[in-house]
């Protein structure tokens, strides 16, 4: 077993420097903050998963955001994507509050876990295939430890592809919003458009669409309805 506990896995993730390009980029972003974040101490390390160790629903993004998770040190925290996602999780009963702003903001997840397939921030949000492969060890280990996970909500096509690779699906099934794909050990992939501003501002992903996906995920994971 790669790690015997979530705590051990977190320590291994946070100390990882396997991808030189991403180590450089996460530190470059910290040294060049956006004006709104000037003067803040960036996390500038890999961002571990976050949530309820008894989770039935696992929300998977592709990669850490340079000025979101890479700044705050928590997955889906401190940017517009986090605002959308966590508000929807709160409506679905998966989060105790509708905001995710910083690591000490009191956010707690109920029955859910959030993580990125690539745990460092890549330039232009695009990890290479080698970087995706290198970081897959952490997704594997996390899903091995989170034995209650029944549904993996894949936020965007690249997260779907990472989950399909984790599951060993050949040929890789095409991504689709709302698409469901059974994988081994009784788990299921559930596709969802990524809640990035690019998708939410254009209406590709609406609040009712995201609510429907989370409602479906909680039903499949047999979590109590909110
Ligand atoms: S992307 Fe993953 S494997 Fe690469 S340095 Fe970051 S944590 Fe390590």
């Amino acid at each position: 077993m790669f790690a015997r506990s979530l705590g051990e896995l977190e320590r291994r993730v946070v100390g990882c420097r396997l991808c030189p390009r991403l180590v450089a980029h996460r530190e470059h972003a910290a040294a060049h903050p956006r004006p709104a974040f000037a003067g803040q101490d960036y996390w500038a390390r890999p961002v571990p998963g976050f949530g309820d160790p008894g989770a039935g629903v696992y929300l998977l993004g592709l990669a850490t955001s340079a000025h979101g998770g890479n700044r705050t040190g928590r997955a889906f925290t401190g940017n517009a994507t986090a605002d959308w996602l966590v508000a929807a999780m709160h409506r679905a009963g998966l989060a105790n509050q509708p905001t995710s702003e910083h690591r000490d903001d009191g956010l707690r997840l109920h029955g859910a876990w959030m993580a990125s397939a690539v745990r460092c921030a890549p330039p232009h949000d695009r990890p290479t295939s080698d970087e995706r492969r290198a970081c897959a060890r952490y997704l594997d280990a996390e899903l091995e430890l989170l034995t209650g996970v029944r549904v993996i909500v894949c936020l965007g096509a690249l997260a779907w592809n990472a989950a399909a690779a984790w599951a060993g699906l050949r040929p890789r099934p095409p991504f689709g919003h709302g698409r469901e794909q059974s994988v081994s050990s009784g788990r299921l992939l559930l596709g969802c458009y990524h809640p990035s501003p690019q998708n939410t501002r254009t209406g590709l992903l609406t609040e009712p669409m995201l609510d429907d996906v989370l409602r479906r995920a909680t039903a499949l994971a047999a979590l109590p309805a909110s």
Side-chain angles (χ1 to χ4, degrees), residues 101-138:
E101 295 174 349
H102 56 84
R103 292 175 73 214
D104 301 317
D105 62 6
L107 176 65
R108 291 193 310 280
L109 304 187
H110 306 302
W113 188 271
M114 303 192 293
S116 293
V118 174
R119 303 192 179 214
C120 292
H124 310 297
D125 296 324
R126 289 198 183 156
T128 65
S129 53
D130 282 349
E131 289 160 354
R132 290 198 302 266
R133 270 194 294 275
C135 214
R137 69 195 67 202
Y138 300 126

Side-chain angles (χ1 to χ4, degrees), residues 12-23 26 45-48 63-64 116-122 127 130-138:
R12 295 188 73 154
V13 169
V14 169
C16 184
R17 300 180 66 86
L18 279 173
C19 307
R21 188 181 79 114
L22 302 193
V23 171
R26 71 197 194 201
R45 285 173 278 167
V47 175
T64 292
S116 293
V118 174
R119 303 192 179 214
C120 292
D130 282 349
E131 289 160 354
R132 290 198 302 266
R133 270 194 294 275
C135 214
R137 69 195 67 202
Y138 300 126

Side-chain angles (χ1 to χ4, degrees), residues 65-84:
S65 154
H67 301 282
N70 187 55
R71 176 173 61 88
T72 61
R74 194 174 69 191
F76 292 104
T77 301
N79 61 8
T81 297
D83 290 344
W84 251 75

